[in-house]
Amino acid sequence: PAAEAALAAATQRPFNSVALNEASGEPGWKTIPSWFISSERDLAIPLETFRFMAARANARESVEIAGASHALPVSQPQAVADVILRASVAVWNPPW
């Protein structure tokens, strides 16, 4: 909704240089299976960056949502939930 988008835009903070430059330790993507969902029209993180990260992590699935913005979980909650559910089914190995 327009009102929600306006609020999100007005309250969004700029990237912090620490967040972009601080070491975080061993990356999880090296040992943990990865799934990606990305936004075609994300103005904060370019689509090519998502593609690079998904390829580097050897993602089991990479989904691009056409026309979606950076606020993907808000604007496309079902698409996000679908990827999460597929990922959970893929890694869940129940003992029964």
Side-chain angles (χ1 to χ4, degrees):
E4 191 173 334
L7 176 62
T11 59
Q12 183 175 347
R13 298 179 309 176
F15 283 122
N16 182 321
S17 64
V18 173
L20 298 175
N21 298 310
E22 186 176 39
S24 63
E26 186 68 19
W29 56 261
K30 287 187 173 184
T31 57
I32 300 169
S34 299
W35 281 256
F36 275 75
I37 185 166
S38 53
S39 312
E40 178 189 53
R41 297 184 62 200
D42 190 326
L43 300 179
I45 304 170
L47 185 55
E48 285 303 319
T49 301
F50 280 115
R51 289 175 178 159
F52 166 76
M53 291 187 296
R56 178 181 61 182
N58 196 26
R60 294 188 180 185
E61 181 180 6
S62 185
V63 176
E64 295 177 7
I65 305 298
S69 70
H70 183 71
L72 192 56
V74 175
S75 66
Q76 300 288 328
Q78 189 61 58
V80 173
D82 290 346
V83 171
I84 292 169
L85 290 172
R86 287 194 301 273
S88 65
V89 167
V91 298
W92 176 248
N93 205 356
W96 54 86

